[in-house]
Each structure stands twice: as C-alpha cells, then as structure tokens.
Amino acid sequence: MAAALLGLIAGAIGPTAALGRAPLSDKAASPSVTTPSRKPVKARGNAPAKSRSKGGAKTAAARRAAAKAKATDTPPLPEPVRSEAASRVIAWVGSAHDNGALPYIVIDKQAASLSLFDAKGTFLGETPVLLGIGIGDDSTPGVGAKDLSEIGPAERTTPAGRFVAKFGRAFGRQRVLWVDYANSVALHAVITTHKKEQRVARLLSPTPDDNRISFGCINVGTSFYTKQIRPLFLKTGGVVYILPDTKPLDTVFPRVRLLPYLAPAEQVSG
C-alpha cells in the first residue's frame, strides 16, 4: 500500500513538473519571442554608423576650419625693393582704390618687373617680364592692324598707362590677357618658338638689360602666368598699370599727385 501511495505521488508530481517546464521551453524556441531580441541588436549595430557619419562630418569641418585658420595666419609676402615710381603708383592704387573690385598688376618697364595684387591690394608676388624692343610709351597709330613683318623695331613698344585687361582669343585660338586689344598688346606666357631669341634665358638673367625683345607684348614666366595671373584674372579681368620709359610719371598717371593728401594709414608701403 505504501508503494502504491508513492506511485500516486510520483505520478502527480511528474505532470506538474512537465507543465512547469513547457512554458520555459516554448519561450526559448518561439520565433515571436526571439525576433524582438534581434531588433535591438540591429539598432545597436546602426549606432556606430551614425556616429561615424557624424564624426566624419565633424572631422571634415575641423579640417576646413584649420585650413581657414592657417590661411588667415599666413604672414603676408615681404614687399620687394622697388623704384620710387613703382612705389608711388602702388601706394596710390592701394590708398585710392583705383582698381575698384578687380585684381591688378603694376609693371615697371625700366626694371622689367611685374607686381601682382588681388582686389583687396594684397601683394601676391613679383616676377620679371619681357617687353617691346622699342623704347617708348605710345603705340604707333594703326600698329594693331599690321602684320608682324610690317612692324619696325621702333614701333615695337609696350605702351604706358592704365589698362582694363580681359582674357580673350588670339591667333591660333590661344587665350591671352589682352591689355590693349586695339594695338595688339597682350600679356601671356613666354614664347619659346624662336630659339634664337632666348626669351627664357632673358627672363632668368639677373639684370633687365636684355629684357627688351617682344613686338610690344608682355611675356611672363609660364609657371607664374598659369598658377597666379591666369586664375586671378580669368573670370573678371583686372587692371594693368604700366609705368613709362621716358614720359614723366605724373603725365601718365596724373592722379598720383593726390598721394600726399590721402590717409597715410591706407598707403601701401613699397
């Protein structure tokens, strides 16, 4: 009878225990239960991507800010030693803002040098130039309509004065900076087609004595022309001031006489 009683108790406990384990087993195997557990995992997996995106944007913004700060902190180029005439013209342009909102160039023919400035008057660099072989400050009337073979040495002058220059087509579909289009005076990279003229060597020589070789155009070193002048003048053009050979400076640039009356603080040192 005791054995029978124990059998009844074991039979009663067995089903009860099985019923207790079944819910636990179903919960572990049921897809409806495990699916929500995967969604948070997926959400957690996306979080680093978002943080990386934000972090990348912040890094790019930081790089741009650093580059801007570096550009702002870049010290200005030292002003080279210039002639009195060039210093006066540069000071007058900077203080009177004669260039308006355009970049500008000042060419000292006697020194065979070119100074480049942006629209705000910041000095960007100086480079030697080649000029017309003829000494003079005016273009011969009608010279722009002549063939090169018809232009005599005395007519091959680079005119002095203030010119509004813009890029345009020349012969051979080449784009040049036209300084005086009517008289075919342009500023362009040095020409190397005529080897006997040795134009590159003339540019590199230490004195301006051999820099008179062109028909009147202004030749500049290729690197300076393509990297500095062309990008600066390509869209808007600019102003070119060419100092005289023989004429008085005040005759060519009468407003330079106003320089002593302009605010000294605004004058550009030369």
Side-chain angles (χ1 to χ4, degrees), residues 19 40 48 56 66 97 113 115 127 178-179 211 250 254:
L19 289 173
H97 304 291
S113 66
S115 294
T127 189
W178 284 110
V179 177
N211 288 44
D250 294 354

Side-chain angles (χ1 to χ4, degrees), residues 229-263:
I229 294 178
R230 182 180 174 86
L232 194 62
F233 280 70
L234 186 59
K235 290 184 179 180
T236 63
V239 184
V240 178
Y241 302 88
I242 304 178
L243 277 59
D245 277 325
T246 58
K247 289 184 177 181
L249 183 68
D250 294 354
T251 301
V252 179
F253 301 103
R255 294 185 180 180
V256 174
R257 299 171 184 171
L258 300 175
L259 184 59
Y261 305 99
L262 298 174

Side-chain angles (χ1 to χ4, degrees), residues 80-115:
V81 178
R82 300 188 179 99
S83 67
E84 181 183 358
S87 297
R88 287 184 64 197
V89 170
I90 290 171
W92 163 66
V93 174
S95 56
H97 304 291
D98 182 78
N99 61 302
L102 297 174
Y104 60 97
I105 285 171
V106 176
I107 296 175
D108 187 343
K109 286 202 290 180
Q110 295 186 20
S113 66
L114 178 154
S115 294

Side-chain angles (χ1 to χ4, degrees), residues 12 21 44 66 75 80 83 86 136 143-144 152 154 156 173 181 194 210 230 232 238 251 256 270:
R21 286 194 302 269
R44 288 194 298 270
S83 67
V143 69
R156 301 175 187 180
R173 304 187 69 180
Y181 184 81
H194 304 291
D210 58 352
R230 182 180 174 86
L232 194 62
T251 301
V256 174

